[in-house]
Amino acid sequence: MTSSNDHTADGTELAQDSDNDEMTFVTQAHYDRESRRDLTTEVIFAIADAEDVAPTDLKDPPLYDCVDIAAIEDGFFGPKINGQTRDSEGSVAFWYNQYHVEVTSDGWITVSKRTARGNQPDSE
């Protein structure tokens, strides 16, 4: 059995047992660099959707305590260089409370939750 530990921004330990835990999809959003919304806003809206709360209710911890969204936005979607947009490929993942958030270079934001194998995900 393989185990490791992750921590949330407030220092709470998240036990990870790769033999018994798996990730369950919760929600997804898409960031478009041409949109009026910035990446931070899209991530906050995605997490709020997962929590089933208003985006303004996400305060603890502040998102900037968990990840540097500006660095992700600049790395994947940054300003044009010599008139060309960046063509970065990859993804960045981080934890926000119990949610695993992944931002990919094509703009998809996926929010998942760790679920013990055999348990059913929360249903609405």
Side-chain angles (χ1 to χ4, degrees):
M1 176 162 60
T2 306
S3 294
S4 65
N5 292 320
D6 290 324
H7 293 84
T8 62
D10 66 358
T12 306
E13 189 172 288
L14 293 170
Q16 180 179 10
D17 185 340
S18 62
D19 291 337
N20 295 324
D21 289 348
E22 54 188 42
M23 299 307 292
T24 301
F25 172 85
V26 179
T27 192
Q28 194 171 45
H30 190 261
Y31 168 71
D32 179 2
R33 72 174 85 192
E34 303 300 325
S35 170
R36 293 187 319 192
R37 282 188 175 171
D38 60 10
L39 182 60
T40 300
T41 301
E42 290 295 346
V43 169
I44 289 171
F45 272 70
I47 295 169
D49 184 36
E51 283 276 320
D52 198 24
V53 298
T56 55
D57 290 341
L58 291 180
K59 295 178 182 162
D60 189 31
L63 184 60
Y64 60 78
D65 280 354
C66 300
V67 67
D68 186 347
I69 294 288
I72 296 171
E73 188 165 19
D74 187 47
F76 287 155
F77 315 105
K80 294 181 178 182
I81 300 173
N82 296 328
Q84 300 292 319
T85 58
R86 295 186 184 193
D87 290 325
S88 301
E89 289 186 27
S91 66
V92 174
F94 62 93
W95 287 95
Y96 183 88
N97 291 334
Q98 74 269 24
Y99 296 103
H100 182 262
V101 181
E102 181 178 19
V103 179
T104 60
S105 58
D106 61 359
W108 286 104
I109 302 159
T110 304
V111 181
S112 303
K113 189 175 186 178
R114 185 175 286 137
T115 305
R117 193 176 302 170
N119 291 348
Q120 295 297 320
D122 295 340
S123 59
E124 295 181 21

